[in-house]
């Protein structure tokens, strides 16, 4: 049974506090153990909810991305396709579509409901989800270097200064061909998005390439 409730009826003290099982996640990265399942929240439109109820599952359609992002949809389509293609190396059996579905793993940091949307709380099988760090995802989306730690970041900035570069994002565009070594190092750093666990539990995002109706535990209207 799926619980439905109205977001307007919630008071701050009523909201359930759930976080990512941090110990399970670290064992997943360090030892390759299973994560069991994750509790995640995703904001979706009413038409997505209707599709779930009609077909039993939802996969992201390109038309939804274009409708949501308008003139900058091309940027997101390219970024999501890159992410999906890279994800196949880490979650080969589960990555079947082109575009990921995003889940917050902490109820305090989830997207808030807006007009025409619903919040879906889902119990996601661990083998179907890929967990990444929000800050590293922002770095990738902004064509920036993903560092291993503070020293690695400082060393990279020092190297950039040696070449007179004060905006690392140029390495990802046409100007980057003039700095092939730096460009290669930056692009290789993006792989850390998949190989390093989130810095803190609240920074965790999970992605799947399908949302199944049987995963849904609650819908906030």
């Amino acid at each position: 049974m799926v619980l439905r409730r109205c977001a307007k009826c919630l008071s701050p003290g009523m909201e359930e506090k759930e976080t990512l099982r941090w110990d399970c996640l670290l064992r997943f990265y360090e030892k390759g153990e299973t994560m069991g399942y994750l509790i995640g929240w995703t904001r979706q439109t009413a038409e997505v909810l209707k599709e779930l109820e009609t077909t039993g599952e939802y996969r992201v359609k390109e038309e939804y991305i274009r409708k949501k992002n308008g003139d900058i949809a091309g940027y997101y389509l390219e970024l999501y396709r890159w992410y999906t293609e890279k994800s196949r190396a880490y979650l080969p059996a589960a990555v079947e579509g082109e575009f990921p579905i995003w889940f917050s793993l902490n109820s305090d940091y989830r997207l808030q409901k807006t007009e025409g949307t619903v919040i879906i709380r889902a119990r996601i099988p661990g083998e179907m989800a890929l967990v990444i760090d929000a800050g590293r995802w922002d770095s990738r989306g902004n064509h920036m270097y993903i560092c291993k730690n503070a020293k690695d970041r400082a060393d990279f900035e020092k190297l950039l200064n040696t070449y007179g570069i004060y905006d690392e994002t140029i390495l990802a565009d046409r100007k980057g061909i003039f700095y092939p070594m730096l460009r290669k190092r930056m692009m290789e750093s993006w792989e850390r998005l998949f190989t390093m666990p989130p810095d803190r539990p609240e920074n965790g995002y999970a992605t799947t390439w399908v949302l199944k109706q049987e995963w849904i535990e609650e819908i906030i209207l």
Side-chain angles (χ1 to χ4, degrees), residues 9 12 14-15 21 45 57 67 74 87 123 125 136 138 144 152 154 178-179 183 187 193 199 206 208-209 219:
C9 298
M14 292 173 59
E15 186 56 60
R21 279 292 305 278
T45 63
E57 66 176 35
K67 181 179 179 181
S87 297
R123 183 184 178 100
R136 294 190 192 104
D138 287 343
M144 297 175 67
D152 184 43
F178 298 108
Y179 309 96
R183 179 185 174 94
M187 289 184 169
L193 183 66
D199 286 337
T208 68
W209 281 261
I219 298 170

Side-chain angles (χ1 to χ4, degrees), residues 57-79:
E57 66 176 35
Y58 166 66
R59 297 177 189 272
V60 179
K61 293 180 171 62
E62 182 175 327
E63 63 191 82
Y64 291 169
I65 297 175
R66 291 193 179 279
K67 181 179 179 181
K68 177 182 177 181
N69 295 289
D71 292 341
I72 59 172
Y75 161 79
Y76 285 103
L77 289 168
E78 180 181 359
L79 183 60

